[in-house]
Amino acid sequence: MRKILFGFLLFLVVLVAAAALAPFLFKDKLRALADKQIAQRVRAKVQYNPADIDVTLLSTFPDLGLDVKNLRVIGIDSFSRDTLAYLPRLRVGLDLMSVIKGQQIDIKSIDLDQPDIAVKVLKSGRTNWDIMISDSAAAAKGQDTSAVNLAIRGWEITDGRLRYDDRSIPFRMDARGISHTGKGDFAKNIFDLTSTTKIAKLTANYAGVDYLTDKQVDAAIAMNMDLTKSLYTFKENQVKLNDFPFSFAGAIGLPNATDITYDITFKALQTDFKNILSLVPGVYNQQFKDVQAAGQVAFTGYYKGVQNKLRMPGYGVNLTVTNARFHYPQLPREAKNINVAMVVDNPSGFTNNVKVNVSKFHLDLGNDPVDGSVAIDGLEPMKVDGRVKANVNLAEALKVYPVAGISMRGQFFVDATAKGTYSKTQMPVVNAAIRMSNGYVKSNQFPAPIEDINLSGTVVNKTGQVNDTYVNLPQFHLVLEGEPLDGRLTAHNINSPIFDANVKGTVDLTKMTKIFPLDGMTVTGRVSGDLAAAGNMADVEAGRYQNVKASGAVKASNITYRS
């Protein structure tokens, strides 16, 4: 018993001594190794303060802990002003015996606290993360490629941020509040990798349109990793986007130095309409759990093909919503009879070849129906065949779906069809009619409401030629803080508009520009009058005012302009 106790005490003494001596024994050695590896294997500027490096054993036993604070990785050449990664705290777990032997150091774990990573792709396809020099390239220079071995078994990210900006597509993503843990034995050639990921806010933008805004992500993914074949196959997994759960099947491969192959399918794991409703902007909030919803959803898709500098994988999505409804308990009306059928398909992967077919869209906002359909083939040029028809009481609509900070009322009607090709020189054949009666709009961001809005108008193009588009607004009327504004407008020949208009009333420019801000400029003052004008905008822009027919009187007071 005494021998066992003595042995245990001796172990504690050695452990405490090793913990105390670790910073002195290994710090300089590990720093020198890191500097050498960075110089030989990294095409980027890596900045850190030697005083921000610590080595510990006690808190990481049986591994040796390397703690680095405030490390930055900055690009070179085209990315010389861009920080690829800022790591406030990086902790690396090293196999203690491999450090002592000094032949090859095994990295067993990596922990990142509050990392900020910014990934970029230029229009040319050049990436800022391609900074590592391959083993073969390093070996060709006679450099030692065996000094460090990635024998990682676990890793963790706490409160991270990842930004992805791909200008070749164009696509942007911003993930904030990332918490991630993963396990897998990278010392083996074939093993299972498991990970859990939570993202507090995920935003994704494609071609200037936000498709995801501040969504929450909760993912648990298992993959089989075949490092010999560079083939990574999905096993059991679930990803939740807000309350919408789905899963992946298939594999990702790296068959050579330039290609990435995808053969992936995905599908919804639940068919309740309320799950996909959580993705609608403004719906997923503290009151969402109390929303009453019914209806069925089918959601499937694929991502398949090769990605390299010249090619992109194909993709497709199928979404069907059948006989759905939702109701906020605190509001008197519900949205009902929601039916949607949508197919997105692009087997080639080239963005311009995408096809979108929303063959059915219908919902009743209370008792007011909204119907639509659209088929799109390509983007530049875009072939389109669509229709929308709605007759909505705006006050009743807000009793179905709350919009914070907005008050509206009035009857809004639209009936529009468009069929043909949209490009720089062409426009679909269009026949659209809109009406607003007894309208009222007030936002918390505006100083005053716009009241008594009454207008009717049409947009018609019978030939598909851009300049054959005719806009006719025979009357409009509104009141801003007791001051009425009336008018009419006809216009055609869009490239160089020919117009005929009348405007009568008073406009407070200070208030109007607060409601409709002018980017980069400030205008104040008041303009009142009764003015009629007809002519060509080309004459106006060229200063040939004598060619414009104008009559009436205008009075301006206290006008100021700053830009």
Side-chain angles (χ1 to χ4, degrees):
M1 184 68 182
R2 291 181 178 179
K3 290 183 178 180
I4 295 175
L5 181 59
F6 178 77
F8 179 69
L9 292 174
L10 181 61
F11 169 76
L12 289 180
V13 171
V14 171
L15 179 61
V16 172
L21 293 173
F24 304 100
L25 294 175
F26 304 117
K27 182 175 179 179
D28 291 340
K29 176 182 179 180
L30 292 175
R31 180 192 165 194
L33 176 62
D35 287 342
K36 182 179 179 180
Q37 288 293 306
I38 290 170
Q40 292 182 350
R41 306 299 298 276
V42 179
R43 290 189 297 260
K45 292 179 288 185
V46 179
Q47 299 177 345
Y48 67 91
N49 188 336
D52 287 335
I53 296 180
D54 287 316
V55 176
T56 182
L57 180 62
L58 193 60
S59 63
T60 58
F61 186 82
D63 296 332
L64 183 69
L66 177 64
D67 195 330
V68 184
K69 296 178 181 178
N70 300 316
L71 185 145
R72 295 179 186 271
V73 181
I74 301 173
I76 58 176
D77 299 331
S78 303
F79 303 104
S80 59
R81 297 184 179 181
D82 298 326
T83 298
L84 169 60
Y86 170 59
L87 310 180
R89 187 176 185 186
L90 164 65
R91 294 191 300 276
V92 181
L94 307 174
D95 180 81
L96 177 60
M97 293 308 299
S98 72
V99 176
I100 294 173
K101 292 178 180 179
Q103 296 176 348
Q104 183 184 66
I105 295 178
D106 292 338
I107 298 177
K108 297 180 68 176
S109 66
I110 297 177
D111 294 338
L112 301 173
D113 282 349
Q114 298 182 319
D116 189 346
I117 300 172
V119 178
K120 292 186 177 182
V121 183
L122 301 181
K123 288 184 177 180
S124 63
R126 187 175 182 183
T127 62
N128 73 333
W129 72 82
D130 185 18
I131 63 173
M132 299 303 297
I133 299 172
S134 66
D135 285 349
S136 58
K141 296 180 179 180
Q143 297 172 355
D144 183 6
T145 61
S146 62
V148 176
N149 178 42
L150 291 178
I152 296 174
R153 294 185 179 181
W155 56 93
E156 183 173 0
I157 297 173
T158 304
D159 193 19
R161 182 181 183 186
L162 172 63
R163 287 168 286 172
Y164 180 80
D165 184 2
D166 190 338
R167 298 179 184 179
S168 67
I169 302 179
F171 175 79
R172 289 186 294 107
M173 182 189 73
D174 190 356
R176 297 171 179 261
I178 301 173
S179 296
H180 171 86
T181 60
K183 294 181 180 179
D185 191 351
F186 279 83
K188 299 178 180 179
N189 287 326
I190 299 177
F191 61 95
D192 285 345
L193 180 152
T194 60
S195 68
T196 60
T197 304
K198 293 181 182 292
I199 301 175
K201 293 182 179 181
L202 175 64
T203 296
N205 180 291
Y206 175 73
V209 178
D210 283 336
Y211 288 88
L212 298 174
T213 304
D214 291 343
K215 304 304 181 191
Q216 296 180 15
V217 177
D218 190 349
I221 296 176
M223 300 186 74
N224 178 259
M225 310 290 286
D226 188 333
L227 301 186
T228 303
K229 297 180 180 178
S230 295
L231 184 65
Y232 316 110
T233 305
F234 283 100
K235 301 181 73 173
E236 292 184 6
N237 63 88
Q238 174 177 301
V239 179
K240 284 183 68 176
L241 200 58
N242 283 353
D243 269 8
F244 180 59
F246 58 95
S247 67
F248 294 95
I252 301 172
L254 302 172
N256 53 56
T258 60
D259 294 344
I260 305 175
T261 62
Y262 299 88
D263 189 359
I264 298 173
T265 60
F266 49 89
K267 64 178 181 179
L269 293 177
Q270 297 180 16
T271 59
D272 294 337
F273 174 68
K274 187 174 182 179
N275 297 122
I276 201 168
L277 183 66
S278 71
L279 301 182
V280 177
V283 170
Y284 195 70
N285 51 33
Q286 293 180 348
Q287 290 78 39
F288 182 75
K289 65 181 185 298
D290 300 322
V291 173
Q292 302 166 1
Q296 297 298 303
V297 170
F299 175 80
T300 61
Y302 73 90
Y303 194 67
K304 184 175 183 178
V306 177
Q307 178 180 345
N308 54 36
K309 291 183 178 181
L310 301 177
R311 301 170 61 186
M312 288 292 292
Y315 57 88
V317 174
N318 293 270
L319 172 65
T320 303
V321 178
T322 305
N323 298 326
R325 55 173 288 273
F326 69 88
H327 179 219
Y328 283 82
Q330 70 272 27
L331 296 176
R333 294 191 178 270
E334 68 174 2
K336 57 188 177 181
N337 299 326
I338 304 171
N339 289 277
V340 179
M342 181 184 75
V343 177
V344 178
D345 196 28
N346 187 354
S348 72
F350 293 104
T351 303
N352 202 49
N353 295 338
V354 67
K355 294 183 179 181
V356 180
N357 184 13
V358 183
S359 58
K360 180 191 298 183
F361 180 89
H362 174 86
L363 66 85
D364 293 329
L365 290 171
N367 296 321
D368 298 335
V370 178
D371 287 279
S373 64
V374 64
I376 296 172
D377 186 353
L379 297 180
E380 293 182 0
M382 177 190 295
K383 294 180 180 178
V384 61
D385 185 358
R387 180 179 185 184
V388 61
K389 185 174 183 179
N391 191 6
V392 178
N393 184 309
L394 299 179
E396 294 298 308
L398 290 182
K399 294 179 181 179
V400 174
Y401 180 72
V403 181
I406 294 287
S407 300
M408 295 189 299
R409 56 178 179 263
Q411 195 73 23
F412 177 74
F413 170 85
V414 60
D415 188 356
T417 60
K419 185 175 183 178
T421 300
Y422 179 81
S423 68
K424 293 180 180 179
T425 59
Q426 291 178 283
M427 185 169 179
V429 173
V430 175
N431 191 353
I434 61 170
R435 291 195 301 272
M436 169 74 85
S437 57
N438 301 318
Y440 173 98
V441 179
K442 175 70 173 69
S443 169
N444 290 346
Q445 299 178 354
F446 301 155
I450 302 177
E451 303 176 89
D452 198 19
I453 305 170
N454 288 275
L455 62 85
S456 63
T458 59
V459 178
V460 177
N461 186 308
K462 296 181 178 181
T463 68
Q465 300 300 310
V466 173
N467 286 334
D468 288 338
T469 302
Y470 286 79
V471 178
N472 183 24
L473 196 65
Q475 65 87 24
F476 67 83
H477 171 81
L478 60 87
V479 175
L480 179 60
E481 286 203 330
E483 296 178 326
L485 183 68
D486 294 89
R488 67 168 187 85
L489 169 69
T490 62
H492 68 281
N493 199 54
I494 289 179
N495 288 333
S496 182
I498 298 172
F499 62 89
D500 186 354
N502 290 85
V503 179
K504 180 181 180 180
T506 300
V507 177
D508 187 318
L509 298 176
T510 304
K511 296 175 182 175
M512 189 63 73
T513 53
K514 287 183 178 179
I515 298 174
F516 304 106
L518 300 175
D519 188 27
M521 63 183 71
T522 302
V523 182
T524 64
R526 294 169 60 85
V527 176
S528 60
D530 185 353
L531 180 67
N536 192 318
M537 279 300 298
D539 289 328
V540 176
E541 292 171 354
R544 298 187 295 265
Y545 302 115
Q546 69 277 10
N547 294 338
V548 178
K549 296 180 180 179
S551 62
V554 176
K555 181 181 179 181
S557 58
N558 301 321
I559 301 296
T560 65
Y561 169 82
R562 292 193 302 272
S563 64

